[in-house]
Amino acid sequence: QVQLVESGGGLVQPGGSLTLSCAYSGITLRNFAIGWFRQAPGKERELTSCIGWSTNYADSVKGRFTISTDNAKNTVYLQMNTLKPEDTAVYYCAASTRQSSCSGFVSPNRFAYWGQGTQVTVSS
C-alpha cells in the first residue's frame, strides 16, 4: 500500500532552482523517515537530505537544498537552489519505517520503499 511518486524534475540552468515533490500514500509520515537520494551515471546512489526524528543534509548540498513536508498535501519537498552541473542525477524519494533512519550515516539500505525517480539535469 505504500507508494511514493516523485515529480518536478527537468532541465535547469546552472545557478537556477528547482523543487521536487514526493507524494506519498499508505504511510503516516510521523512514523516514517523520508530521504531524498540521487544517482548520477557511473556513480553510487547517495543521500542528499533526510527528515525523520532528525534532519540530515549531505555536505555537497548544505545551504542549497531544503527538505520540507506538507502533511495536508501528503507531500515531501526538496527545494534545490543554486544548482550546479554536478547535481545532475536521477532523484529518488524513499521511506523508512524507522524514524531514526536519518541519524548518522544514512544508507539507502535503510529505506524499504522507493519512488521511480525523476531526472534533474543542470546544464547551460
Side-chain angles (χ1 to χ4, degrees):
Q1 297 298 313
V2 177
Q3 187 173 12
L4 305 170
V5 181
E6 303 96 335
S7 62
L11 176 65
V12 64
Q13 295 275 338
S17 298
L18 206 60
T19 300
L20 305 182
S21 298
C22 175
Y24 60 85
S25 61
I27 68 171
T28 300
L29 188 60
R30 66 183 300 169
N31 295 326
F32 285 75
I34 302 294
W36 280 100
F37 295 82
R38 67 186 182 187
Q39 188 164 23
K43 295 186 176 181
E44 64 187 358
R45 190 167 298 185
E46 65 176 4
L47 178 78
T48 66
S49 63
C50 190
I51 187 166
W53 283 351
S54 61
T55 302
N56 195 356
Y57 292 94
D59 288 342
S60 60
V61 307
K62 281 183 178 178
R64 299 189 299 119
F65 289 15
T66 303
I67 189 170
S68 63
T69 63
D70 187 334
N71 292 340
K73 296 182 179 180
N74 294 330
T75 301
V76 179
Y77 300 98
L78 184 67
Q79 175 65 48
M80 306 184 295
N81 298 322
T82 319
L83 284 162
K84 305 174 181 179
E86 50 263 44
D87 294 319
T88 296
V90 177
Y91 283 71
Y92 301 88
C93 64
S96 170
T97 58
R98 296 173 61 89
Q99 303 101 308
S100 62
S101 292
C102 295
S103 63
F105 175 73
V106 183
S107 168
N109 293 332
R110 297 185 183 184
F111 295 79
Y113 305 102
W114 292 81
Q116 290 188 306
T118 185
Q119 176 72 46
V120 173
T121 302
V122 184
S123 176
S124 60

